[in-house]
Amino acid sequence: MLNQIAAIIAMNVKSLPRRANMSVAAVAAIAAVVAVLLGFLAMANGLQQTISGSGSDDFAIILRANSSSELNSTLTKDQQDLIALAPGFARGPGGRPLVSRESYVIVDGIKKSSDTKANIPLRGMSPEGVALRSGVRVTEGRMFEAGLNELVVGAGVLREFAGFEMGKEIRFGRSVWRVVGVFEAPGSVFESELWADIKVVQGQFNRGASVQTMRAKLAVPGDISTPAAYIENEPRLNADIKTERTYFAGQSQGTQQLVTLGWALGIAMALGSLSGALNTMYASVQARTRDIATLRTLGFGGFATFVGTVVESLVLAAIGGLIGGVVAFLFLDGITASTLSGSFTQVVFAFDLSPQLLADSVVLALVIGAVGGIFPAWRASRLPLTAAFGR
Amino acid sequence: MTDFSLVLRNLTRKPLRLGLTLFAIFMAFLILTVLIAFQLGFDRAVEATSEERLVTISKINFTVNLPIGHVSKIRATEHVEQVAYADWFGGYFKEPSEPLVMFAVSPEAYLELYDELIMDDDARAAFLQNKQAMVMGEGLMREYGFKVGDRVPMRSNIFQHRDGGNTWELDLVGTFRADDPAVDTRYIIFHHDNFNESRTFGRDTVGWVIIKADNPANNDAVMAAIDAQFANSPNETSTSTEKAFQRAFVAQIGNIGLIIMSVVGAALFVILMIVGNAMMMAIRERTGEIAVFKALGFRSGRIFAMVLGESLMLSLIGGLAGLAVGAVLVGVAASAIPPLAFMVVSTEVMVVTLAVMLALGVVTGFFPARTAMNTTIITAFQKH
């Protein structure tokens, strides 16, 4: 029987080009479904990777209690000094705790893609701040110098926004800043930021001595229990401490909606294209009525005919799925975009088409192919032998 | 037998294929209706903001506050008729993950400028005279199950109350609504005075200033005059129309229109392939019959029209069903999910979908119809 199945599969698949006209519709429909699904999933995946993927267990972030994002948090000078004294933070040379005081100001930039104003975060940080982030690398120029109106620009900002090139002078309100460096922090939100010295930012934006957040290196990676207990027991503090990983994970909830929307649309469209696959396969069975009946007369079994037709449908679906995947990969993978994140600022991200997503969408295509093949195959396997001689 | 019943017979001769094709059309128009309702509703919500009102924000960014002293200076600017100001409270009720749009405003001037908000005289009077009062959109009140007369603890994710904590106890004294569903009323306003004196930081600042000129024709002059006035001061400003401000904000989210149109395009492409293919198959199978019609003296034009009629009917039946179910879905979504309340299947949506149906019918029917029309009696019988 295996021989029979193999023979029929080979025959069906080899004769596909002869029925190209009617197969093209099913293939194209499935390709379009896969491309749309992949578009949404790649967008959600890229955004998710950027917002939450970069979190590390080595560092902790301290915000005012109940602040949903950095923008909403404030820590006064007294609170900062108390937090800096907390036990459980790693210490640098001279025994000073490795902490950075950071302020977060939103400034306007001009988006290259739409030529409109958009929010960019300007982060003031202590000199220690750079070392308190993993994977940051200055690719051009140098870091800002304390006390000067100097900016270093994230590679994402440079890509998506106009006017932040090396050496440029930039005005925010009355203050003038000079771009002295460009940094990369692959795949993280930091690439969407501008960095400057904390003291200068506080001065230029009338922030006094208050900051939004503090950042520290943990003595034991992932363990915030010691500083958390200290903060809890200090009545003058009203703050939350989280590892960087936990904090970032909490910021990316919105991306789940994109995934849901992508699947909802993908499945709705898949149902529509399923009709197309069924039409094509019924027509294919009908066009081969005489061939099938002849084979059956020659002694080929109904089951072999059934499998042959299902495989034909699966091959069509796989071709459609691959075309959709290749189109999505060529046109969507790696393109960068930016959108408004939870903290009201632009986050620059790249569409990311992972092998897992490709596999998921090919599975969807094959499901369409399988369902689209089963019913026509059933009909094929039940064709009466006399059909070979009719017409 | 009329041509119409002939078309109907042709259409229904293969019930299975008809059903499958109709289902594909149905799904596509379902997607189309929902997405177009979203897109047009979204656009309308932006367009419903005013071209007449002007908004002054900090030149640095709209999240940076301005000193309250700017308000009186703006009021003194030539051609300025009315000035209100507002500040972002960062409000929520119980759940920090469910933020509420909540503005601390100069109450009297704000209500004067936002005259599209409809309020009872009683509610208005109660709101203006009670410094602890707030009013909110009718829908929002229903959504949260508040009642007029409630004292509600509203919390801020930004500000601290001078009495400790982040809670402001506010009296809900009334609601407002708008005649135009595109006007967003899903927000809360309360007294800036109350807010300003009880917050621990950010005192004597405002988030943005709202301005009405004596005549819209003077808008450009007013915008220029305000920004010139604060140029080179520590708090430079940027003034635009409310609509321009809203458009810029929406643009920050990304190109939503492009994403929606890509999906709609892909969905249409799918049915175009499927329906076109089904029509082609139907006509190819009928080559012999068409030749018979011709032999009977049917004119080419009539045959062309009959095939085109078939594809149009196919597209309309499936499409109208999709539109109907889509309209129901949109209605359910708009009432069940408050942030989607702007979605509505308006006449505009129907016209657009109907136009797409007709276009689909013509495009998928044209080539098969031409094939049928050009069929010669001889070749048809030869093939047979």
Side-chain angles (χ1 to χ4, degrees):
Chain A
M1 190 163 76
L2 285 178
N3 283 341
Q4 286 189 0
I5 294 177
I8 292 192
I9 289 177
M11 203 170 69
N12 285 359
V13 173
K14 276 185 194 156
S15 66
L16 264 178
R18 266 196 279 136
R19 295 189 300 281
N21 263 345
M22 81 196 163
S23 310
V24 160
V27 170
I30 291 172
V33 173
V34 166
V36 166
L37 178 66
L38 280 179
F40 273 89
L41 295 184
M43 183 157 64
N45 191 37
L47 192 55
Q48 161 105 36
Q49 293 291 332
T50 304
I51 296 176
S52 71
S54 44
S56 154
D57 277 333
D58 293 349
F59 309 112
I61 293 173
I62 300 106
L63 301 97
R64 197 195 62 215
N66 297 323
S67 305
S68 50
S69 70
E70 283 187 79
L71 183 62
N72 295 341
S73 169
T74 349
L75 299 170
T76 62
K77 179 78 169 71
D78 298 347
Q79 290 171 329
Q80 296 161 35
D81 293 344
L82 284 169
I83 291 169
L85 292 175
F89 292 153
R91 277 158 203 283
R96 275 161 48 94
L98 283 172
V99 295
S100 167
R101 302 165 194 234
E102 311 204 336
S103 67
Y104 194 83
V105 186
I106 301 183
V107 296
D108 277 346
I110 303 290
K111 235 180 182 176
K112 284 180 187 166
S113 61
S114 57
D115 215 19
T116 52
K117 277 188 194 172
N119 295 357
I120 308 178
L122 166 60
R123 183 185 294 278
M125 56 166 76
S126 310
E128 290 86 354
V130 181
L132 296 181
R133 291 172 163 80
S134 44
V136 174
R137 209 162 51 88
V138 175
T139 52
E140 223 183 307
R142 56 173 172 83
M143 264 297 150
F144 58 82
E145 220 165 279
L148 296 178
N149 283 27
E150 293 182 340
L151 286 179
V152 286
V153 176
V157 174
L158 199 58
R159 266 199 309 273
E160 290 288 311
F161 294 90
F164 289 98
E165 291 77 16
M166 270 291 285
K168 281 268 170 72
E169 288 207 332
I170 298 165
R171 278 172 65 90
F172 298 130
R174 209 172 41 156
S175 58
V176 179
W177 302 73
R178 208 160 67 82
V179 178
V180 298
V182 177
F183 67 92
E184 274 180 8
S188 88
V189 281
F190 297 127
E191 276 201 356
S192 313
E193 297 182 344
L194 306 170
W195 288 353
D197 179 44
I198 174 72
K199 294 261 166 53
V200 182
V201 171
Q202 284 172 333
Q204 299 288 2
F205 291 91
N206 306 322
R207 290 300 175 103
S210 75
V211 299
Q212 258 68 52
T213 58
M214 284 177 74
R215 175 177 272 269
K217 187 173 166 70
L218 290 166
V220 184
D223 181 15
I224 54 164
S225 58
T226 318
Y230 166 83
I231 290 171
E232 179 76 20
N233 293 326
E234 170 54 68
R236 285 168 291 176
L237 285 178
N238 175 31
D240 288 338
I241 179 167
K242 294 172 181 169
T243 65
E244 188 187 43
R245 184 193 296 277
T246 327
Y247 174 74
F248 281 155
Q251 299 290 308
S252 68
Q253 286 146 349
T255 57
Q256 194 50 42
Q257 292 168 354
L258 268 181
V259 176
T260 315
L261 183 63
W263 275 106
L265 281 169
I267 288 173
M269 286 178 64
L271 284 174
S273 68
L274 179 60
S275 310
L278 281 166
N279 257 345
T280 302
M281 290 313 296
Y282 273 123
S284 160
V285 169
Q286 200 197 6
R288 285 179 296 125
T289 303
R290 189 176 286 194
D291 313 358
I292 294 169
T294 309
L295 285 174
R296 301 271 314 280
T297 317
L298 291 174
F300 281 76
F303 183 69
T305 322
F306 180 85
V307 175
T309 307
V310 172
V311 171
E312 180 185 340
S313 173
L314 284 175
V315 168
L316 287 180
I319 296 173
L322 283 178
I323 294 177
V326 168
V327 166
F329 188 78
L330 289 181
F331 291 97
L332 296 177
D333 190 48
I335 64 170
T336 62
S338 65
T339 187
L340 214 51
S341 76
S343 54
F344 250 0
T345 53
Q346 293 285 318
V347 48
V348 179
F349 67 100
F351 280 50
D352 184 6
L353 212 60
S354 68
Q356 177 61 46
L357 298 184
L358 275 173
D360 283 358
S361 58
V362 169
V363 166
L364 179 73
L366 289 178
V367 168
I368 299 174
V371 178
I374 282 174
F375 299 99
W378 179 250
R379 177 180 282 183
S381 69
R382 302 289 300 269
L383 272 177
L385 300 189
T386 49
F389 314 106
R391 300 244 298 168
Chain B
M1 203 177 210
T2 62
D3 282 5
F4 180 73
S5 55
L6 206 59
V7 170
L8 212 59
R9 283 286 173 84
N10 272 333
L11 195 60
T12 52
R13 82 162 75 191
K14 292 232 163 158
L16 182 65
R17 184 194 291 159
L18 174 69
L20 289 172
T21 314
L22 280 180
F23 183 73
I25 301 174
F26 166 79
M27 285 309 297
F29 278 91
L30 184 67
I31 296 174
L32 206 69
T33 307
V34 174
L35 289 184
I36 291 180
F38 180 89
Q39 171 76 45
L40 293 182
F42 194 79
D43 287 351
R44 257 177 63 70
V46 175
E47 295 306 309
T49 53
S50 171
E51 194 97 59
E52 285 184 14
R53 284 190 291 261
L54 306 177
V55 179
T56 298
I57 54 171
S58 160
K59 194 176 178 183
I60 298 170
N61 182 264
F62 66 83
T63 55
V64 177
N65 274 20
L66 294 168
I68 204 163
H70 272 37
V71 176
S72 50
K73 288 180 192 149
I74 291 174
R75 194 176 284 126
T77 310
E78 207 183 345
H79 297 303
V80 168
E81 186 179 290
Q82 179 62 285
V83 177
Y85 51 90
D87 208 345
W88 177 257
F89 178 66
Y92 65 94
F93 176 70
K94 287 185 181 161
E95 287 302 318
S97 57
E98 290 169 27
L100 284 164
V101 180
M102 205 163 159
F103 305 137
V105 303
S106 53
E108 207 159 350
Y110 187 90
L111 288 179
E112 251 176 67
L113 284 182
Y114 286 82
D115 53 3
E116 69 264 39
L117 300 180
I118 303 168
M119 248 175 116
D120 300 345
D121 289 344
D122 290 354
R124 181 185 295 259
F127 177 55
L128 293 183
Q129 55 116 352
N130 177 1
K131 253 176 99 173
Q132 315 281 323
M134 65 168 166
V135 287
M136 63 177 74
E138 222 168 54
L140 190 62
M141 181 178 80
R142 252 180 284 127
E143 193 186 315
Y144 274 82
F146 299 140
K147 287 189 303 296
V148 172
D150 283 356
R151 192 173 179 85
V152 188
M154 288 296 178
R155 313 182 87 183
S156 169
N157 59 26
I158 306 171
F159 296 99
Q160 301 280 302
H161 196 283
R162 65 171 168 214
D163 298 341
N166 61 345
T167 308
W168 269 257
E169 299 266 348
L170 297 173
D171 297 321
L172 177 57
V173 298
T175 61
F176 51 81
R177 61 192 166 81
D179 277 339
D180 184 350
V183 172
D184 185 12
T185 58
R186 208 170 162 268
Y187 66 97
I188 299 171
I189 53 175
F190 69 114
H191 289 240
H192 189 275
D193 282 359
N194 172 24
F195 171 59
N196 191 43
E197 60 202 32
S198 51
R199 61 175 158 181
T200 52
F201 56 89
R203 285 256 173 96
D204 297 331
T205 65
V206 299
W208 61 98
V209 183
I210 308 134
I211 301 131
K212 193 180 166 213
D214 52 7
N215 182 341
N218 292 329
N219 274 355
D220 287 340
V222 170
M223 289 191 276
I226 292 174
D227 292 344
Q229 177 171 180
F230 300 110
N232 296 316
S233 81
N235 289 286
E236 294 189 313
T237 60
S238 160
T239 308
S240 61
T241 66
E242 189 178 274
K243 188 176 284 185
F245 176 74
Q246 193 70 23
R247 278 202 195 121
F249 183 72
V250 167
Q252 291 221 32
I253 301 170
N255 201 337
I256 298 169
L258 179 71
I259 294 175
I260 290 185
M261 284 310 136
S262 315
V263 177
V264 165
L268 282 177
F269 173 74
V270 170
I271 43 164
L272 198 68
M273 296 307 293
I274 294 170
V275 181
N277 184 44
M279 280 303 293
M280 277 298 206
M281 280 197 243
I283 298 308
R284 210 177 302 132
E285 285 162 11
R286 267 187 253 146
T287 310
E289 289 170 30
I290 291 166
V292 171
F293 277 127
K294 285 204 158 176
L296 288 175
F298 276 58
R299 295 205 176 274
S300 296
R302 193 165 162 198
I303 290 174
F304 185 86
M306 270 163 54
V307 175
L308 207 58
E310 192 177 330
S311 70
L312 275 170
M313 217 146 95
L314 195 64
S315 172
L316 280 175
I317 296 172
L320 287 174
L323 175 59
V325 175
V328 172
L329 265 184
V330 167
V332 170
S335 59
I337 309 167
L340 293 181
F342 62 84
M343 279 175 77
V344 59
V345 179
S346 55
T347 327
E348 208 181 346
V349 175
M350 291 190 209
V351 169
V352 172
T353 356
L354 210 62
V356 175
M357 277 176 229
L358 294 177
L360 177 77
V362 170
V363 172
T364 52
F366 180 79
F367 295 100
R370 204 180 54 178
T371 314
M373 187 173 76
N374 294 340
T375 306
T376 59
I377 302 175
I378 307 283
T379 48
F381 284 131
Q382 272 173 349
K383 263 190 201 163
H384 215 54

